[in-house]
Amino acid sequence: MNAPNRPELSQDTELPLMQVRGLTRYFGARPGCIDVSFDVFAGEVLAIVGESGSGKSTLLSLISAQLKPDQGAVHYQMRDGVNRNVLELNEAEQRLLMRTDWGFVHQDPAMGLRMGISAGANIGERLMAIGARHYGDIRSAAQSWLTCVEIEPDRIDDLPKAFSGGMRQRLQFARNLVTQPRLIFMDEPTGGLDVSVQARLLDLLRELAANLGLAVIIVTHDLGVARILSHRILVMRRGRVIEQGLTDQVLDDPQEPYTQLLVSSILQA
Amino acid sequence: MPGDFEKAMVRVENASKTFVMHLQGGTRLPAVAHARFTAVRGECLVLAGPSGIGKSSLLKMIYGNYRCDSGAIHVHHQGRYIDVAQASARMILRLRLETVGYVSQFLRVMPRVSAFDVVCASAKAQGMNDALARTETAELLDRLHLPKRLWNLPPATFSGGEQQRINIARGFISDHPVLLLDEPTASLDAANCAVVVELIAEKKRAGVAMIGVFHDHEMREKIADRVIDVSQFSAREENCG
């Protein structure tokens, strides 16, 4: 309870930014995701939690159009206000969405960054992909986003290889944010980082999401991360969403046996 | 305003709650049974009764932190009543932003955020401008005798009493028409308890409905307009009898 302050949420009358309906995907006989449905609204942080193998990363791949489902639909309100089934967009349309209105933050920054080009180029690349050509503009945008993610702007010409794990992750945020997306997918963004680095990253993430009014769908196995960042939570087990609701309600008053087990397994620091 | 004449801010109607502990073989722990009371504008209602009788659980049910198994909890919000027991997650978040504040015994904050910013953010969340929010934060922290050297530090390392004062400042700086107080003075000294008595009196004059749990008798006598004995709603009593 007493979650940190969050931005005002949109009104009930507003349409969800994303509507996921009946998403199902099997890998052979093994279920990845079974009949998953939920909504995400603008400015809302939704956490998907569960243990390894629960299907949360599969779900993230499905809703971000990186993996095709066997069944189901992902409706998204495009920037022009038109509601489209993401799975029915052609490849070029999907790519454009991924480069502009969506962001994807990977657990391993090496997957979300190009390690062989400078920090500035990593940020600028996404701008150039949507048509930016003016070198000075791109460089100053890169500089200002570096500052936003708390990286000294004079590191702009350094390679990500020279950055610490936490800095790389922040650079990944900047690379995603430069096109001013409305929805960001995150897969364990604080996994594998030292606790102190994690805390800084979480705080930055919370601020960015609130100040930019971003919708975030974050996959994490860490219930502490979910509590700090998210408004709502989905608990997954064996491919299904077994419980969902207001984050503090699910964590403080869990109804399902599995959720109770997850919550009771947290170590108290 | 359509709701101005309406004085009842919170109406708890036959609300019940039982915890089912699945990891303990499905043990049922009844917490609250058929609770029924109303809190009106400008009053401080104190929930009384022995420890473990469900006072905090009731506050958490009103805040939407605990689910309600049956019954209704109507909160007056923007001119109409919202039933917290049935409300969507998004509606509950909006209630918390605009209508229902909560001051608990424990502070849970982000690791890097300073005490000052914790309180200031609470004011700004409801739309107060930055300058005014900063002025009011400074005034309130001063009133609660929080040493200035602590203002810019994250409260994680503060003492229990210092953290509690941050909690109180955060809860009282915002402009919620309903305020839930879960033992906010549990670890405060007499001087700071006196400040809280004043703050509560100011909220009453502003028409805020408060529902609180206070173990300290002296404190209770100073602030309570009405006392509700929660043991009458206790399922445990029922089972024993």
Side-chain angles (χ1 to χ4, degrees):
Chain A
M1 206 184 322
N2 276 339
N5 290 299
R6 300 202 175 92
E8 190 164 348
L9 294 166
S10 45
Q11 300 294 309
D12 271 348
T13 49
E14 202 177 307
L15 282 172
L17 190 60
M18 180 177 265
Q19 289 170 293
V20 175
R21 293 293 177 267
L23 224 46
T24 300
R25 166 74 196 229
Y26 279 82
F27 299 103
R30 188 174 64 83
C33 226
I34 308 168
D35 195 21
V36 173
S37 299
F38 61 89
D39 292 340
V40 182
F41 289 81
E44 185 176 48
V45 180
L46 178 75
I48 304 173
V49 304
E51 291 174 311
S52 312
S54 58
K56 51 194 198 308
S57 292
T58 301
L59 178 58
L60 200 66
S61 302
L62 289 170
I63 57 179
S64 58
Q66 299 182 47
L67 185 67
K68 286 204 184 311
D70 300 329
Q71 274 174 47
V74 178
H75 295 284
Y76 185 73
Q77 212 185 353
M78 310 289 275
R79 276 191 187 184
D80 58 9
V82 178
N83 210 295
R84 301 280 304 270
N85 184 352
V86 171
L87 308 172
E88 287 168 3
L89 297 177
N90 65 39
E91 229 172 89
E93 287 173 316
Q94 282 186 354
R95 212 176 314 125
L96 184 67
L97 198 59
M98 208 63 199
R99 280 178 182 167
T100 55
D101 216 23
W102 288 2
F104 200 110
V105 173
H106 298 267
Q107 175 174 0
D108 178 3
M111 280 180 68
L113 294 172
R114 291 192 34 204
M115 301 304 279
I117 62 174
S118 72
N122 262 287
I123 300 174
E125 191 179 48
R126 233 172 99 101
L127 274 182
M128 287 166 71
I130 55 167
R133 287 293 174 266
H134 188 278
Y135 177 78
D137 290 351
I138 294 171
R139 191 168 170 90
S140 73
Q143 251 160 353
S144 96
W145 279 104
L146 282 176
T147 312
C148 273
V149 298
E150 303 173 3
I151 296 175
E152 291 299 322
D154 63 12
R155 303 292 304 266
I156 190 165
D157 296 318
D158 292 355
L159 295 178
K161 279 183 210 158
F163 288 2
S164 67
M167 277 173 81
R168 286 181 195 175
Q169 205 53 301
R170 282 181 275 130
L171 179 60
Q172 206 189 167
F173 292 169
R175 176 176 161 97
N176 276 284
L177 291 170
V178 69
T179 58
Q180 296 178 302
R182 291 184 301 159
L183 174 63
I184 297 206
F185 304 98
M186 297 190 181
D187 192 2
E188 304 275 8
T190 59
L193 296 172
D194 287 343
V195 179
S196 60
V197 179
Q198 234 188 57
R200 178 175 184 189
L201 205 63
L202 283 175
D203 185 39
L204 177 69
L205 252 176
R206 186 188 62 99
E207 266 178 38
L208 288 172
N211 296 342
L212 304 172
L214 287 175
V216 177
I217 302 178
I218 179 170
V219 159
T220 176
H221 69 276
D222 186 333
L223 297 183
V225 169
R227 187 190 280 274
I228 277 177
L229 286 181
S230 68
H231 298 101
R232 284 192 303 125
I233 199 167
L234 302 182
V235 183
M236 291 195 72
R237 186 187 193 206
R238 294 183 187 158
R240 290 183 194 275
V241 173
I242 55 155
E243 184 162 359
Q244 61 173 302
L246 192 61
T247 297
D248 65 85
Q249 196 180 67
V250 170
L251 296 180
D252 293 339
D253 186 14
Q255 304 293 298
E256 292 296 317
Y258 178 71
T259 316
Q260 290 188 357
L261 177 66
L262 281 185
V263 170
S264 70
S265 307
I266 303 174
L267 296 174
Q268 302 283 337
Chain B
M1 286 280 288
D4 266 7
F5 55 89
E6 191 64 68
K7 284 187 69 187
M9 289 305 293
V10 179
R11 294 196 324 244
V12 178
E13 292 163 2
N14 224 7
S16 299
K17 167 83 191 163
T18 297
F19 290 100
V20 181
M21 321 295 277
H22 291 289
L23 305 181
Q24 280 78 38
T27 304
R28 297 175 64 83
L29 276 182
V32 172
H34 310 296
R36 192 184 286 278
F37 59 88
T38 298
V40 302
R41 282 187 206 284
E43 78 166 338
C44 183
L45 192 66
V46 169
L47 306 180
S51 294
I53 209 77
K55 304 183 294 292
S56 280
S57 293
L58 258 171
L59 289 184
K60 288 174 179 172
M61 287 159 72
I62 298 169
Y63 197 58
N65 177 232
Y66 283 177
R67 280 170 240 234
C68 196
D69 299 333
S70 59
I73 297 175
H74 292 288
V75 172
H76 192 269
H77 171 73
Q78 310 284 344
R80 60 190 171 131
Y81 284 101
I82 302 291
D83 181 2
V84 177
Q86 305 289 333
S88 68
R90 284 159 48 74
M91 179 45 95
I92 291 175
L93 290 174
R94 206 141 68 227
L95 276 173
R96 291 178 184 179
L97 181 68
E98 292 165 4
T99 302
V100 186
Y102 189 104
V103 182
S104 75
Q105 301 174 59
F106 308 104
L107 184 67
R108 176 182 274 135
V109 288
M110 289 298 300
R112 280 201 307 172
V113 183
S114 74
F116 189 92
D117 287 345
V118 167
V119 178
C120 201
S122 172
K124 290 202 284 189
Q126 288 186 316
M128 194 186 286
N129 74 50
D130 188 68
L132 186 59
R134 296 188 74 82
T135 313
E136 296 215 347
T137 299
E139 275 174 21
L140 201 46
L141 292 180
D142 250 342
R143 266 180 92 177
L144 287 160
H145 311 102
L146 192 81
K148 275 209 173 60
R149 61 186 160 78
L150 297 181
W151 290 14
N152 290 318
L153 300 177
T157 53
F158 290 9
S159 73
E162 287 159 354
Q163 291 196 357
Q164 193 139 20
R165 279 177 275 158
I166 302 300
N167 244 348
I168 290 166
R170 177 164 73 166
F172 279 85
I173 200 169
S174 62
D175 202 8
H176 290 112
V178 175
L179 208 46
L180 307 174
L181 308 169
D182 195 354
E183 297 202 51
T185 52
S187 42
L188 293 190
D189 58 24
N192 283 305
C193 281
V195 176
V196 175
V197 171
E198 280 172 29
L199 290 172
I200 291 174
E202 288 163 21
K203 288 289 183 192
K204 283 184 195 178
R205 286 197 291 278
V208 174
M210 283 166 284
I211 305 174
V213 175
F214 292 88
H215 278 295
D216 183 62
H217 280 277
E218 207 179 311
M219 191 72 194
R220 197 185 294 176
E221 271 173 23
K222 285 179 184 154
I223 57 156
D225 296 296
R226 281 192 299 143
V227 176
I228 301 244
D229 181 5
V230 171
S231 31
Q232 62 183 311
F233 312 131
S234 170
R236 271 159 248 183
E237 298 274 302
E238 219 170 72
N239 287 352
C240 295

